[in-house]
Amino acid sequence: MLLISADVLFWIHIVLLVAAVPSVYLLMDESFDGTAVRRFARAWVIVAAAAWLNFGSFHGGRFSHAWEAYHHFLGARYFSELGYDGIYVASHQAQKEMKPFLHQAIYVRDLRSNQVGPVYLMRDHIQDVKSRFTPERWRSFSQDNIYFVDSVSTEYLRKMRLDHGNNASPAWMFLARALAAWLPASDAALAYVGALDLVLLAILFGFIWSTFGWRFGSVAAILFGLGYPWSFFWIGGAFLRLDWFVALGMAVCMIRRENWHWAGAFLGASICLRLFPLVFIGPIALVAIRHIVQKQDLSWARQFGRGLGWALVIGFVAGSLAGRGPGAWLEWLQNITLHGSSWLTNNVGV
């Protein structure tokens, strides 16, 4: 496997993106057509896909994203007990019990306040979180936790416990638990969950290609593959971190196909998974208002609304069955409100 440093990969992305600009203009010019242009587009798509995967370097040679998986894999499998406030103190305590002589940092982030503090001041919180587990579940969590302890360096683990927890919605937790509940943490398990986003992306770009044509599909794939801010470094190889993006993209494809019911359903799914796609209702609402003013047919809006409504209802019910009851939604809203008001390296809150 060819390992390329992060700095070199950054500049490769920049060079390729600059080089792709004239190619994108060429591909969008319908006066250029024929087999040669299609082959040219296909070649750029292959290069973009390889670039997004860091040309096989992934994360320093490892496909799965340990940082992301630690939060989302453990967070989903043990959502009933960890909730949104327990992962760091539970992880610290489980490591202390299983490997008492292994050095670990004395500071973690207290997810109740998003403030970093010494673990010894969180003794009551540690006992509260541990009491949520049955003995069998605690043993299972401890084994999964030790996999991550053994898989990364002490410094990397220290930094992971200073992050801001798992902020996915209860609906996402329901889906993730269904996929990971039977999987103890292992290299194979993380490779499996890390590959799910690749499958979803392949489905999305296949729909974009078939819906908008090979020109637009090629350009979309090139821009996605070469855009560094959303490159594999950030959430590639993680556990369902692009599901909302795929659902939103599918909604756009369904709008183009005038399949309004499924357009609403996919947008609703995206909202249930990450909330902020809610803003995409705005443009659709404006079009509906215009049609009302102009007294045009609104059957499309009614179909869209039904699909959206059913998706939101199903998402709410699913989230309520994720392990913490309907109250999980209130916990999540409180958590992302706190998250959004916290200082972050990457501001991903609402």
Side-chain angles (χ1 to χ4, degrees):
M1 179 182 293
L2 177 63
L3 296 182
I4 308 173
S5 71
D7 290 339
V8 172
L9 282 167
F10 170 79
W11 287 110
I12 290 175
H13 271 269
I14 296 300
V15 170
L16 286 174
L17 187 59
V18 172
V21 171
S23 300
V24 167
Y25 276 104
L26 172 66
L27 292 175
M28 294 306 292
D29 189 343
E30 294 187 1
S31 64
F32 291 93
D33 204 350
T35 303
V37 177
R38 290 173 182 261
R39 287 177 178 172
F40 180 72
R42 193 177 300 118
W44 261 113
V45 169
I46 293 172
V47 169
W52 192 75
L53 294 170
N54 289 333
F55 301 99
S57 291
F58 304 121
H59 299 287
R62 177 175 180 162
F63 173 73
S64 61
H65 195 318
W67 188 301
E68 286 282 328
Y70 170 79
H71 288 87
H72 292 87
F73 186 82
L74 289 180
R77 273 175 59 81
Y78 302 99
F79 180 59
S80 300
E81 297 88 358
L82 295 178
Y84 292 103
D85 65 351
I87 187 169
Y88 298 146
V89 292
S91 175
H92 189 282
Q93 180 65 20
Q95 178 184 339
K96 180 180 178 181
E97 293 177 6
M98 293 196 71
K99 296 196 172 184
F101 301 108
L102 183 65
H103 172 75
Q104 58 179 326
I106 62 173
Y107 289 90
V108 300
R109 188 174 300 279
D110 186 342
L111 294 174
R112 297 170 298 174
S113 63
N114 269 354
Q115 300 299 311
V116 174
V119 178
Y120 74 86
L121 292 180
M122 304 179 194
R123 288 190 293 264
D124 290 343
H125 184 41
I126 291 173
Q127 292 307 311
D128 171 60
V129 173
K130 186 177 178 180
S131 68
R132 303 172 192 171
F133 288 81
T134 64
E136 294 76 18
R137 289 280 288 175
W138 182 251
R139 283 193 294 270
S140 176
F141 171 78
S142 297
Q143 290 291 340
D144 284 345
N145 180 67
I146 285 299
Y147 165 82
F148 289 98
V149 172
D150 292 340
S151 297
V152 301
S153 68
T154 301
E155 177 62 11
Y156 195 80
L157 183 63
R158 181 190 72 82
K159 291 180 178 178
M160 288 199 302
R161 290 173 178 161
L162 296 177
D163 201 349
H164 293 78
N166 180 352
N167 301 290
S169 73
W172 184 92
M173 294 293 189
F174 176 86
L175 175 62
R177 284 188 70 191
L179 293 168
W182 53 280
L183 283 174
S186 66
D187 291 346
L190 297 197
Y192 155 69
V193 298
L196 294 175
D197 274 347
L198 297 185
V199 174
L200 293 177
L201 285 172
I203 293 171
L204 171 61
F205 283 105
F207 266 89
I208 292 174
W209 197 285
S210 64
T211 301
F212 293 93
W214 67 270
R215 290 182 185 275
F216 190 92
S218 298
V219 170
I222 291 168
L223 294 179
F224 180 83
L226 300 183
Y228 188 80
W230 49 86
S231 66
F232 194 86
F233 279 121
W234 296 108
I235 51 176
F239 186 12
L240 287 182
R241 293 289 269 120
L242 291 170
D243 49 357
W244 69 269
F245 173 78
V246 171
L248 186 60
M250 289 296 294
V252 174
C253 289
M254 294 300 107
I255 289 173
R256 176 71 171 186
R257 295 179 179 213
E258 298 187 0
N259 192 330
W260 302 108
H261 186 271
W262 278 106
F266 277 116
L267 180 55
S270 186
I271 292 169
C272 288
L273 292 169
R274 287 290 168 180
L275 186 62
F276 61 84
L278 187 69
V279 300
F280 289 92
I281 292 179
I284 297 169
L286 288 176
V287 174
I289 292 171
R290 186 188 68 184
H291 281 201
I292 292 173
V293 173
Q294 296 177 350
K295 298 182 179 180
Q296 297 182 27
D297 180 37
L298 276 177
S299 60
W300 66 271
R302 288 189 289 271
Q303 294 176 48
F304 182 90
R306 282 195 293 270
L308 175 67
W310 275 112
L312 294 178
V313 169
I314 292 171
F316 176 81
V317 172
S320 300
L321 297 174
R324 296 183 66 82
W329 287 100
L330 180 58
E331 293 175 10
W332 176 59
L333 288 174
Q334 292 170 339
N335 179 67
I336 60 172
T337 299
L338 175 64
H339 186 68
S341 63
S342 302
W343 186 92
L344 304 167
T345 302
N346 301 301
N347 282 295
V348 295
V350 174

